Amino acid sequence: MFKNYLKIAWRNLIKNKVYSAINIVGLAVGMAVAMLIGFWVYDELSFNKSFDNYDRVVQFIQNSTNGNDVSTHPTIPIPLVLELRNKYASDFKHLALARYQEQHILAFGDKKVNQTGIYAEPELPQILSLKMIGGQLLGLQDESGIMISESLAKIIFGNINPINKILLTDDKKSYKVSGVFKDFAQNSEFKDVNFLMPWAALVAQKEWIKKDYTEWNDNSFLLYGQLSDHAEVSKVNAKVKNILTGKPNRDDKPEIILQPMRKWHLYNEFKQGKNIGGAIQYVWMFGLIGLFVLLLACINFMNLSTARSQIRAKEVGVRKAIGSQRKQLIFQFLSESVLIAFLALLLAVLLVQLALPSFNQLADKQLHFPWSSGLFWLTVLVFTFLTGLISGSYPALYLSSFNTIKVLKGTFKVGRFAALPRQVLVVLQFSISVSIIIGTIVVFKQIQYAKNRPLGYDKNGLITVVMSTPNLNGKYDLLQSELLNSGAAINMAEASNSTTNVGAHLIGFEWPGKDPNLNSVISISWVTQDFGKTVGWHFDGGRDFSRQFKTDTAAMVLNEAAVKHMKLKNPVGETVKFDDKPYRVIGVIRNVLMESPYEQVPPTVFFMNYDQVGVITIRLNPKMGTSESISKIKAIFEKLDPAAPFDFRFVDEDFAKKFAMEQRIGSLATFFAIFAVLISCLGIFGLASFIAEQRVKEIGIRKVLGASVLNLWGLLSKDFLVLVSISFLIAIPLSWYFMHNWLQHYEYRTGISVWIFVITAMGTITITLATVSFQAIKAALANPVKSLRSE
């Protein structure tokens, strides 16, 4: 019997090629989009799960209160880890201090590479459960040891055994390779890390870090921990929450938060000290979009199947007359829909395989088709079967309910409300598609709004070079002279950070009239005298730093946000203390955007200090070609510092990276919106085709009676325009509500303008008309004699 069902289903598919193709292609596209989204969602949900101790690893972060504002920072002071080891040792199996991921030059013989690594305490490899290929897991216990990744070992040493080989870092310190570990997974926070260096070596090199072992207010370090087997995150967090309260120089009401590894990636946003989510919102959003796109394809199948009910009415009548039961008819129609679903699956797999490289580039992922995964195929087959059942359920129940006598007598009519379910489904289709389109436009509008905000400097024509070796120390004037004399640059300066980052966030500021209850966290950058001139600061008052004034080593420049925060009416000339040392305010500049483009510019203070700088900023000569300028600058750096490879970055490109997440979300939303509209239009095309075929005699009579092509086009198009208009009325409030809530995540945000809805309405109506018009005009131009000759 089942074989017979499939045979009849196949014959029906072959007999109605156009409708079958629309159904199969529509379902295939829907399935392909659902698969791609499924791969992306799975990758996001499995982030960091490659670590064995995933459920027990935490990062220490802290809240600090500044007036009425509570800010959350991922950094802590060094004394915290000492107190944790002394008083809470039973709650933690491992604790490890670390610095941020940084790039360093590694050299072996004549080979030099610039790679990303971390200074960390010896227990970090255990916390991260490194998979060792060679050497020992405790390789950071030796102050002269370095642990490298498998890929880095191949780059530097080739087929040579790297263990105990000597690497020179930044042309100043030698390390012995103590271990080789398997590369971190691409969907992990440490994917770019290719080596680990011992914390003891960093402390030995940096005098200021030695001093920080007693400083409770220098939040410049990362701390990771692995909980003991018996410990629970919430209970341990409650124990250590107020550990910083009452410590020296900590009047900012600090609170420690243990952030579990499972929340690092998807729940990394905080507002007023409370976790408000993060990337998880995009996981839910795209998961829903995937289901909706597949639902759109199922709706197409339902619509076309029920629309053709009159054609198949006699088939149902004959089958019932010769003894077929309703459940047998239901099985017959469901077998057709399941067959279509599995044919669509074959096409969907092909589409996914073809689209995956482009999708990976769009999503910035390294997703692969899981050909060998039994669980994947089981899930896909069950999912496909359910898709066939869902999409064929309504047509099967509807068609099998026809009255046998009426059908065979020829008196069967589908009824005046027979088209209502189809109309509801079309409205649902376009409501979803329009909502996705509006959401996509709002995302890009937010990105553009942030891109267009005033930066406070000119990012074009700026490059930064990190001083990765000590060979340029003390050569500031020589380097500047060489660059300017070459004609490749018109200015150069150094700073503790690039223009797209802030050097540090510190407390310990005092100023006239300060509220004693105000605990201020202020951003700090150390610069040389030409930094403001190089990047293009705009002064609202006072002057820039100058070495002509020896007192400028005890001076500071404030931004507008700092002046507002300190409530200084006449800031220039005022004295502000930092760490009990007085500094005179010599200038006020407009706010310089150095961190997130979606947040307000924080209060920032600039000091002139030639000992705290490490990033060179160069303003290229606009009268010289960029490639020629870079070549000349490279030659100068190689002459003055031959040990270091010339590694530079364009500031405007670094700034553009700040929009990467939102840009990626917008691109993915666009990708899915296109397919949502495509599937909806495919359904409308099929319905328009069927309706034109169904009303062919009516069109012939109207044409004979004098109806023009335009009249007939309007007759066939107006019903679809009404449905799309209703869809738009439903989509407007829904999309506004969800996108308004999404925008609340950003302090600096755009509004949802009326033109977004107008453009979406015009575009949707145009696409609908273009889709329907092909069939409408084709029917209107047909010779009425052919359709009426049988009457």
Side-chain angles (χ1 to χ4, degrees):
M1 183 65 73
F2 183 70
K3 181 181 178 181
N4 183 56
Y5 289 155
L6 289 178
K7 186 184 294 184
I8 295 171
W10 178 255
R11 287 173 180 170
N12 276 319
L13 292 181
I14 299 301
K15 181 181 178 182
N16 304 286
K17 294 183 177 63
V18 174
Y19 298 109
S20 299
I22 290 174
N23 277 329
I24 292 171
V25 171
L27 269 180
V29 171
M31 286 181 174
V33 170
M35 275 192 207
L36 290 172
I37 292 177
F39 293 163
W40 184 86
V41 168
Y42 179 79
D43 188 77
E44 289 290 301
L45 292 177
S46 59
F47 220 85
N48 289 324
K49 284 190 176 180
S50 56
F51 298 106
D52 292 345
N53 305 316
Y54 170 78
D55 292 324
R56 310 207 62 74
V57 174
V58 297
Q59 181 179 0
F60 289 76
I61 62 179
Q62 64 169 312
N63 287 334
S64 59
T65 302
N66 187 1
N68 294 323
D69 295 324
V70 180
S71 56
T72 305
H73 307 284
T75 50
I76 54 92
I78 290 179
L80 173 63
V81 71
L82 304 179
E83 185 146 335
L84 288 170
R85 284 171 178 156
N86 287 333
K87 297 182 179 180
Y88 302 94
S90 62
D91 293 308
F92 298 98
K93 185 176 284 188
H94 302 292
L95 290 167
L97 284 167
R99 286 288 285 166
Y100 286 107
Q101 298 179 19
E102 299 174 322
Q103 287 198 322
H104 295 272
I105 297 169
L106 303 180
F108 177 73
D110 296 331
K111 183 166 288 186
K112 295 179 182 179
V113 294
N114 202 345
Q115 294 287 322
T116 300
I118 299 176
Y119 279 104
E121 288 190 310
E123 293 181 65
L124 185 65
Q126 292 170 285
I127 293 172
L128 299 181
S129 56
L130 296 187
K131 309 294 189 298
M132 301 304 297
I133 295 173
Q136 53 182 326
L137 185 62
L138 298 176
L140 298 182
Q141 287 183 333
D142 183 354
E143 186 179 326
S144 62
I146 185 172
M147 301 177 71
I148 63 176
S149 68
E150 182 182 17
S151 60
L152 180 58
K154 288 180 180 178
I155 291 172
I156 297 178
F157 299 104
N159 295 323
I160 301 173
N161 183 5
I163 301 300
N164 294 325
K165 294 293 187 294
I166 304 299
L167 284 176
L168 187 65
T169 63
D170 299 332
D171 200 31
K172 61 185 178 183
K173 182 170 175 59
S174 296
Y175 290 91
K176 181 172 63 177
V177 178
S178 57
V180 177
F181 57 87
K182 191 175 181 180
D183 287 41
F184 289 107
Q186 282 299 308
N187 61 341
S188 81
E189 302 293 335
F190 298 89
K191 65 177 181 178
D192 297 322
V193 175
N194 279 314
F195 64 90
L196 302 175
M197 292 192 291
W199 181 263
L202 177 67
V203 175
Q205 296 171 42
K206 305 290 185 181
E207 191 66 32
W208 64 274
I209 294 183
K210 293 178 184 177
K211 296 178 181 178
D212 275 346
Y213 270 79
T214 58
E215 296 290 336
W216 288 92
N217 65 333
D218 188 353
N219 302 299
S220 302
F221 308 93
L222 303 174
L223 178 58
Y224 300 101
Q226 180 183 338
L227 297 177
S228 299
D229 294 337
H230 67 276
E232 296 180 17
V233 174
S234 58
K235 291 181 179 179
V236 176
N237 203 152
K239 286 184 183 180
V240 303
K241 179 179 179 180
N242 298 313
I243 194 172
L244 296 179
T245 303
K247 300 300 182 184
N249 299 316
R250 293 310 301 259
D251 300 324
D252 55 333
K253 301 177 183 177
E255 289 183 356
I256 291 296
I257 300 172
L258 300 188
Q259 181 79 337
M261 181 180 270
R262 65 178 180 273
K263 291 188 175 182
W264 289 2
H265 180 65
L266 296 178
Y267 298 89
N268 56 358
E269 287 187 18
F270 288 81
K271 189 172 185 178
Q272 288 298 102
K274 303 294 183 182
N275 188 284
I276 58 170
I280 188 65
Q281 64 178 321
Y282 299 117
V283 173
W284 283 109
M285 182 177 76
F286 284 123
L288 289 173
I289 287 176
L291 291 175
F292 284 146
V293 170
L294 185 59
L295 178 62
L296 297 183
C298 292
I299 287 173
N300 278 354
F301 181 86
M302 292 180 188
N303 275 345
L304 289 176
S305 298
T306 54
R308 301 181 67 245
S309 58
Q310 280 186 304
I311 294 176
R312 302 198 67 176
K314 288 185 179 179
E315 176 192 342
V316 172
V318 171
R319 285 178 176 277
K320 281 191 173 184
I322 60 176
S324 291
Q325 299 177 6
R326 188 183 181 191
K327 66 179 181 180
Q328 292 175 314
L329 292 173
I330 290 174
F331 283 134
Q332 171 63 53
F333 293 125
L334 285 178
S335 65
E336 288 184 23
S337 63
V338 170
L339 177 62
I340 288 174
F342 276 96
L343 290 174
L345 173 62
L346 296 176
L347 182 56
V349 170
L350 176 62
L351 291 175
V352 169
Q353 189 63 23
L354 293 174
L356 207 48
S358 299
F359 184 77
N360 277 332
Q361 187 175 4
L362 189 69
D364 192 27
K365 295 282 187 183
Q366 292 186 7
L367 305 175
H368 303 283
F369 200 100
W371 293 103
S372 59
S373 173
L375 179 62
F376 166 76
W377 286 112
L378 177 63
T379 303
V380 165
L381 291 175
V382 171
F383 186 69
T384 303
F385 182 73
L386 290 175
T387 299
L389 290 181
I390 292 169
S391 58
S393 58
Y394 177 70
L397 294 171
Y398 178 70
L399 291 171
S400 64
S401 66
F402 289 169
N403 185 286
T404 309
I405 297 173
K406 288 184 178 181
V407 168
L408 295 179
K409 277 187 175 182
T411 58
F412 172 76
K413 300 292 182 183
V414 293
R416 56 183 298 194
F417 297 110
L420 185 60
R422 293 197 298 275
Q423 293 170 345
V424 170
L425 292 175
V426 168
V427 168
L428 178 61
Q429 267 190 323
F430 271 87
S431 296
I432 294 170
S433 300
V434 168
S435 296
I436 296 174
I437 293 169
I438 291 172
T440 303
I441 294 174
V442 173
V443 170
F444 279 112
K445 187 170 182 282
Q446 168 67 5
I447 294 171
Q448 203 57 45
Y449 183 73
K451 282 183 176 180
N452 293 337
R453 71 182 293 187
L455 299 182
Y457 69 97
D458 182 9
K459 67 180 186 297
N460 299 310
L462 280 181
I463 65 169
T464 57
V465 182
V466 177
M467 295 167 63
S468 53
T469 73
N471 298 337
L472 289 175
N473 291 347
K475 297 180 181 179
Y476 177 84
D477 292 326
L478 175 61
L479 177 61
Q480 187 181 57
S481 175
E482 292 266 1
L483 289 171
L484 297 184
N485 290 336
S486 71
I490 58 174
N491 228 315
M492 184 217 90
E494 294 177 8
S496 58
N497 49 273
S498 72
T499 53
T500 55
N501 289 291
V502 171
H505 304 275
L506 299 175
I507 58 177
F509 286 86
E510 300 289 336
W511 57 86
K514 180 186 176 184
D515 183 349
N517 296 319
L518 185 64
N519 306 296
S520 300
V521 178
I522 291 180
S523 302
I524 292 179
S525 283
W526 292 273
V527 300
T528 59
Q529 69 166 355
D530 301 295
F531 185 78
K533 185 179 178 182
T534 301
V535 302
W537 278 352
H538 301 282
F539 278 84
D540 286 340
R543 61 174 177 83
D544 202 348
F545 294 112
S546 174
R547 281 194 287 183
Q548 294 179 357
F549 300 96
K550 293 183 179 181
T551 56
D552 275 9
T553 55
M556 63 170 58
V557 171
L558 308 179
N559 71 348
E560 292 172 310
V563 173
K564 183 179 179 181
H565 178 73
M566 297 177 183
K567 298 179 180 178
L568 301 175
K569 293 183 179 179
N570 299 299
V572 177
E574 287 280 10
T575 298
V576 176
K577 287 185 177 181
F578 173 57
D579 278 347
D580 293 327
K581 181 181 177 181
Y583 290 84
R584 187 168 60 91
V585 179
I586 62 170
V588 176
I589 61 170
R590 295 179 192 171
N591 286 335
V592 177
L593 181 62
M594 304 174 75
E595 295 189 293
S596 172
Y598 301 109
E599 297 175 0
Q600 299 301 327
V601 175
T604 308
V605 174
F606 297 88
F607 298 100
M608 187 173 75
N609 189 325
Y610 283 69
D611 296 326
Q612 294 281 0
V613 296
V615 179
I616 301 167
T617 302
I618 301 169
R619 171 72 66 184
L620 300 180
N621 188 344
K623 296 181 180 179
M624 184 181 289
T626 302
S627 58
E628 184 182 356
S629 296
I630 296 298
S631 296
K632 289 187 175 184
I633 293 171
K634 180 181 179 182
I636 293 169
F637 272 86
E638 289 177 343
K639 183 177 75 172
L640 297 179
D641 189 7
F646 178 63
D647 187 19
F648 72 95
R649 298 193 306 270
F650 287 100
V651 170
D652 56 351
E653 291 180 356
D654 278 353
F655 181 73
K657 291 177 183 176
K658 293 179 180 291
F659 301 91
M661 180 64 174
E662 284 73 18
Q663 194 82 44
R664 195 155 52 244
I665 295 302
S667 299
L668 287 171
T670 302
F671 177 83
F672 300 136
I674 289 171
F675 282 106
V677 173
L678 174 65
I679 292 171
S680 298
C681 289
L682 202 60
I684 277 193
F685 179 83
L687 280 178
S689 175
F690 175 74
I691 289 171
E693 179 185 324
Q694 191 181 39
R695 300 177 69 175
V696 66
K697 287 184 171 62
E698 176 192 346
I699 292 169
I701 293 170
R702 287 179 180 273
K703 198 167 184 182
V704 168
L705 294 175
S708 65
V709 172
L710 184 61
N711 294 142
L712 295 173
W713 171 78
L715 176 71
L716 294 173
S717 302
K718 68 177 182 180
D719 289 341
F720 288 105
L721 286 179
V722 170
L723 296 178
V724 171
S725 299
I726 294 171
S727 301
F728 195 74
L729 292 175
I730 294 171
I732 286 178
L734 284 176
S735 56
W736 183 91
Y737 174 78
F738 286 111
M739 297 316 298
H740 174 76
N741 287 340
W742 177 75
L743 287 172
Q744 301 312 303
H745 286 85
Y746 303 101
E747 290 183 34
Y748 191 84
R749 55 181 178 267
T750 186
I752 303 179
S753 307
V754 174
W755 65 261
I756 294 175
F757 303 109
V758 174
I759 287 179
T760 305
M762 292 173 61
T764 306
I765 289 171
T766 302
I767 292 171
T768 304
L769 286 177
T771 305
V772 174
S773 293
F774 176 80
Q775 290 295 341
I777 294 174
K778 179 183 175 182
L781 292 174
N783 188 343
V785 174
K786 291 182 179 180
S787 60
L788 298 176
R789 63 187 174 186
S790 61
E791 296 298 320

